[in-house]
Amino acid sequence: MTWKWFVSRSVRQAHHAARHVQKLVHQQRDLLAPQAIEAVEADVAEVDRVCPTGDNAKIRDAITKLEKTANKWLKPFPHAAWRENIEVLLVAVAVAMAIRTFYLQPFKIPTGSMQPTLFGVTYEDLHEQPDVKVPTGLGAYLRYWFNGESYIRIVAQESGTLRYEPPKKFVLFNWKQDYRIGNGPWRHVYFPPDQLFERARLAEGMQINAGEEFLKMRVIAGDHLFVDRVTYNFRKPTRGDIIVFETHGITALSRDQQDTYYIKRLIGLGGEHVRIGDDRHVIINGKRLDAGTPHFEFVYSFDPKQAPRDSEFSGHVNETVAQRYRRSFQPLAPYFLAETNEFILQPKHFIAMGDNTMNSSDGRTWGSFPQEKVIGKSFFVYWPIGSAEYMGNERSSRFGWAHR
């Protein structure tokens, strides 16, 4: 039967027809008379009997008889086309949700804490660059979908105070964000980056004048990747893996940070003695991690003699890097040993750090977390596809598996 199904179009069509009628019988079994069920199932069985013979004449006769019997006994569904389309859609949604829950979960990088391995949203204020032309039409469309690069320029059409709403989302993407000036109508910015107006240093209530170009930015989207949720069902995470974990229950994080997911590189495992050296490198059980350690090639790509600094692509921050650096190395009970930059991990706990060790809020700040918080590991960067230039520097593409 399997071979006949592949080589004979008649066999395939007959098989599909029989299965469709059989599904309708199952759906209407409580509405059909016993003789109706018996008649239809007998004709379905006849189709199944003649299909393996490959005799096209017998197959056509069996299908014709099945069609007549089905039309006689089966009840038509109202709006059959809509019913079929909705059924297909629901099955597709169920499959997509199952894949997301058990196999591959989409995830986007919001910040620069994993640079230069993975990039978050970066932007450039173009107010002081009047010569920069904002692309439009097909060119703008291709730049966005291929490089994740977009330009946003807004000229006020009224005078008044600025108001804006949070962006509306579609799956992982921001679909649009509404704003209005004074008593003017609500207007929209499509596909805005996270915190568009905050990044442009615009606050609600600011006075805007008509004709003023109050927002002109170049934005590069953060990396979007799939999280592998399967591998850790068969092996434990290992040092150097880029892991994604939930933050709920990590008490050293603020409340608004405990309802999200973080992506960091796994540094320390349960029971290990971890020390942060004077040169800012991490020492695990006396062994120093540096750029020569597998999977850490880019983690310590800085001069330890330099003072802590802002990351190249991070944009503005709410506190100075020096403040963040001093805060991140304070002893943290019960994980840190008193008055030292050392701690011993509890059993079945992990500590993780961002690859951007010069500017990352990570385990140095909020300690360790239970291993059951890990949901998976970084798998595949699916967008943006191409590279982009940012403030004279190339921001290379991480598309694919290369980032690992």
Side-chain angles (χ1 to χ4, degrees), residues 45-90:
E46 178 63 16
V47 172
D48 291 338
R49 187 187 68 80
V50 300
C51 277
T53 67
D55 188 325
N56 290 337
K58 290 182 178 179
I59 292 174
R60 283 195 299 270
D61 291 342
I63 287 296
T64 301
K65 184 180 179 185
L66 174 62
E67 183 179 3
K68 291 180 178 179
T69 304
N71 289 335
K72 177 181 178 180
W73 294 108
L74 297 181
K75 302 179 183 299
F77 286 112
H79 310 295
W82 279 101
R83 185 186 183 93
E84 287 289 329
N85 291 333
I86 292 174
E87 182 178 323
V88 170
L89 177 62
L90 291 177

Side-chain angles (χ1 to χ4, degrees), residues 173-217:
F173 294 92
N174 291 334
W175 167 241
K176 69 174 182 176
Q177 186 166 10
D178 299 333
Y179 73 94
R180 75 184 298 186
I181 298 174
N183 295 322
W186 286 96
R187 294 186 169 87
H188 320 294
V189 179
Y190 290 99
F191 303 110
D194 292 332
Q195 299 179 319
L196 168 63
F197 292 97
E198 292 84 353
R199 293 176 188 275
R201 296 177 174 83
L202 298 171
E204 286 197 289
M206 289 184 63
Q207 182 65 32
I208 305 295
N209 299 319
E212 177 184 353
E213 183 185 71
F214 67 95
L215 194 153
K216 185 180 181 183
M217 295 180 63

